[in-house]
Amino acid sequence: MINITKESVHEAICNLPDEQKQTLAMNCAQYGVTPESIENLVTGILKCVEPCINRTVENLKYWSDNNGKRKRM
């Protein structure tokens, strides 16, 4: 199960390659936003789709455990 938090989004941004972090910083300066506001926005968006992501992950686990075969009831 995936658990999206502001800290996990912050960590993902921190782990970006330097070139991408520089681009993010320049775009933030150009448009007058802060990296923290970007983190909040991305976290909010991902929180909205988190239930769908988790259902998809569970379905993938189910199908991989059953070799893609549907069980008869």
Side-chain angles (χ1 to χ4, degrees):
M1 185 173 215
I2 295 172
N3 184 22
I4 297 172
T5 63
K6 187 171 184 281
E7 292 77 22
S8 63
V9 172
H10 175 79
E11 185 177 320
I13 290 173
C14 288
N15 290 330
L16 289 173
D18 288 341
E19 184 177 300
Q20 289 181 349
K21 284 191 269 192
Q22 288 172 348
T23 300
L24 177 62
M26 287 187 306
N27 286 329
C28 284
Q30 181 178 357
Y31 293 105
V33 297
T34 64
E36 292 80 18
S37 66
I38 299 293
E39 289 174 1
N40 290 333
L41 177 65
V42 170
T43 302
I45 292 168
L46 292 175
K47 278 294 205 186
C48 289
V49 297
E50 184 177 31
C52 294
I53 294 169
N54 285 328
R55 280 195 303 270
T56 301
V57 169
E58 290 302 315
N59 285 334
L60 289 172
K61 285 180 187 175
Y62 173 82
W63 287 106
S64 67
D65 290 345
N66 294 298
N67 296 320
K69 295 177 184 171
R70 190 175 285 193
K71 287 185 177 181
R72 287 191 169 203
M73 298 186 153

